[in-house]
Amino acid sequence: MSGNTSQLQVGGKTVDMAIKEGSVGPAVIDIAKLYAQTGMFTYDPGFTSTASCESQITYIDGDKGVLLYRGFPIEQLAEHGDFLETCYLLLEGELPTAAQKADFDYRITRHTMVHEQMARFFQGFRRDAHPMAVMVGSIGAMSAFYHDSTDISDPHQRMIASMRMIAKVPTLAAMAFKYTVGQPFVYPLNSLDYTSNFLRMCFAVPAEEYKVNPVLSRALDRIFILHADHEQNASTSTVRLAGSSGANPFACIAAGTACLWGPAHGGANEAALKMLEEIGSVDNIPKYIAKAKDKNDPFRLMGFGHRVYKNYDPRAKIMQKTTHEVLNELGIKDDPLLDVAVELERIALSDEYFIEKKLYPNIDFYSGITLKAMGFPTSMFTVLFAVARTVGWIAQWKEMIEDPSQKIGRPRQLYTGSPQRDYTPIGRR
Ligand code: SDX
């Protein structure tokens, strides 16, 4: 490499490729013309060394355990702000003034109701459907209800669709939860803040008054902040790729929701809690650590490891603190799952295998314990992740749509299948 270009010698040719510097973090080698100049593709399954886009939204330093939303450290946003402030920041790029925040809160609050016919849409699901299946279906179905905000070429419609999703996804999530437990849907209440409204829609019943616990509401609001965005993770990349074809925003967010469901991604919080329950007691931990280290055993410690973080996930530290706050507020003195989690973390962080492979707890390791203590069933954990990540998906989708250089995403491949051959009639096979 020299100055701002790098050179590649391939096939007897020397190809010059520009190096582009970011504001912070790794520079990139622009390979856009590589195929045209060499007839060859790069090869990077899983995109471990590939920047898929330029973005100004979220920055992660995996070695230092740093996470910034529009330059602000996650620790400061979680400490001082609320989730809707983070939503405004991710969408607009700056922290809102008091007037901007009041206006944003007002607009979101007044979009929280869903079209009444959506309630009938839910009746088509089995009661024992996984709430994530219901979320993928109902978010996608928003395209069938909100036709006046599906034209992505119209900035006003893009803004309305964004407001509608940030406001209505929690309502749909609460409806998915109520539907699986056979309780009536609870309408939003405009007098409540975003997260208190969500808690009430999940846990209120017509038979009695529901009083929101402010400590739990603040804790869940902070959990939403932690989950709001995370650079070009699998589900965000799914939303960007879906959006690059010009698909409507509701369909793109439904695609991201489907991807988040996977246990290697957003489904890990549900899988991590099930793993802690399977381990059951501190005595069983060594057996599971051995399984996690055994190359022939597909078992992995759910809630551990990360493609980018090779240091402690900064969100996991805040998550752990929130877990203790919630358990204290609920008077849960000795939660056996927490005992297992704390001891598992202690053992894993001192084990050579985990140290060498730089495997640390990620955001999903403690979130399950907290959400279970709040009264959510494990099947709702990834739904809560989706509620929070909706704003991140939308902010990234919006950035892509507004990028004048954006084009449809269309990766190529290394083909190792059969070369061309002729059809043989069935009688001669
Ligand atoms: C999220 O991308 C994001 O930003 C995602 C996310 C977000 O906010 O959007 O942060 C949310 O998805 C967090 C991750 C939740 N997933 C889990 O907790 C599931 C358990 N973790 C893993 O499956 C795994 O760590 C991944 C999927 C998260 C990362 O997988 P990678 O990229 O394959 O991990 P790696 O390359 O860093 O692995 C290095 C080595 C490998 O062994 P070798 O092939 O080198 O011998 O560590 C091993 C892995 O097999 N390894 C584990 C492990 N995670 C990786 N071994 C045991 N237990 C684990 N959890």
Side-chain angles (χ1 to χ4, degrees), residues 230 265 295 300-301 303-304 306-307 310 315 362 389:
H230 213 238
H265 188 15
K295 274 281 151 239
R300 284 193 161 184
L301 282 184
F304 265 80
H306 199 276
R307 173 60 55 78
K310 301 308 171 190
R315 303 168 298 175
N362 59 48
R389 187 54 59 88

Side-chain angles (χ1 to χ4, degrees), residues 48 60 226-227 229-236 260 263-269 272 292-293 295 299-310 313 315 353-354 357-359 362-364 385 389:
T48 48
I60 303 171
L226 297 180
H227 287 80
D229 192 49
H230 213 238
E231 202 214 65
Q232 305 310 319
N233 59 83
S235 53
T236 297
L260 185 77
H265 188 15
N269 51 19
K293 291 155 68 171
K295 274 281 151 239
F299 174 80
R300 284 193 161 184
L301 282 184
M302 302 315 280
F304 265 80
H306 199 276
R307 173 60 55 78
V308 177
Y309 288 123
K310 301 308 171 190
D313 181 336
R315 303 168 298 175
Y353 173 91
F354 293 89
K357 293 187 186 295
K358 299 183 178 178
L359 301 177
N362 59 48
I363 189 164
D364 296 303
F385 195 149
R389 187 54 59 88

Side-chain angles (χ1 to χ4, degrees), residues 119-262:
R120 269 196 262 141
F121 185 79
F122 277 72
Q123 304 311 326
F125 293 111
R126 284 177 39 161
R127 287 278 181 185
D128 60 352
H130 192 292
M132 278 300 280
V134 176
M135 290 301 284
V136 172
S138 49
I139 293 173
M142 287 176 81
S143 325
F145 286 88
Y146 300 105
H147 301 122
D148 60 341
S149 59
T150 51
D151 175 359
I152 61 156
S153 63
D154 175 351
H156 179 70
Q157 290 198 33
R158 293 202 300 265
M159 184 275 290
I160 292 292
S162 304
M163 294 290 118
R164 278 175 166 159
M165 280 188 279
I166 294 168
K168 296 179 196 304
V169 165
T171 308
L172 293 174
M175 291 167 79
F177 175 43
K178 284 303 201 186
Y179 188 69
T180 57
V181 295
Q183 291 179 358
F185 297 145
V186 176
Y187 287 103
L189 207 50
N190 290 352
S191 57
L192 294 176
D193 66 72
Y194 186 87
T195 304
S196 299
N197 203 6
F198 175 68
L199 281 173
R200 181 177 170 280
M201 289 190 286
C202 287
F203 296 113
V205 288
E208 60 187 25
E209 274 306 298
Y210 176 79
K211 198 172 166 341
V212 178
N213 179 323
V215 174
L216 300 190
S217 178
R218 176 69 190 123
L220 185 57
D221 195 77
R222 188 183 306 134
I223 291 171
F224 286 163
I225 293 172
L226 297 180
H227 287 80
D229 192 49
H230 213 238
E231 202 214 65
Q232 305 310 319
N233 59 83
S235 53
T236 297
S237 301
T238 301
V239 170
R240 278 181 171 260
L241 198 53
S244 72
S245 75
N248 78 69
F250 304 111
C252 297
I253 302 307
T257 306
C259 176
L260 185 77
W261 194 0

Side-chain angles (χ1 to χ4, degrees), residues 5 22 53 104 131 140 159 167 170 211 213 223 258 309-310 312 326-328 343 348 354 390 394 402 417:
T5 59
C53 64
F104 188 73
M159 184 275 290
K211 198 172 166 341
N213 179 323
I223 291 171
Y309 288 123
K310 301 308 171 190
Y312 215 98
V326 166
L327 296 183
N328 291 339
E343 180 60 5
F354 293 89
T390 292
I394 290 168
E402 290 168 358

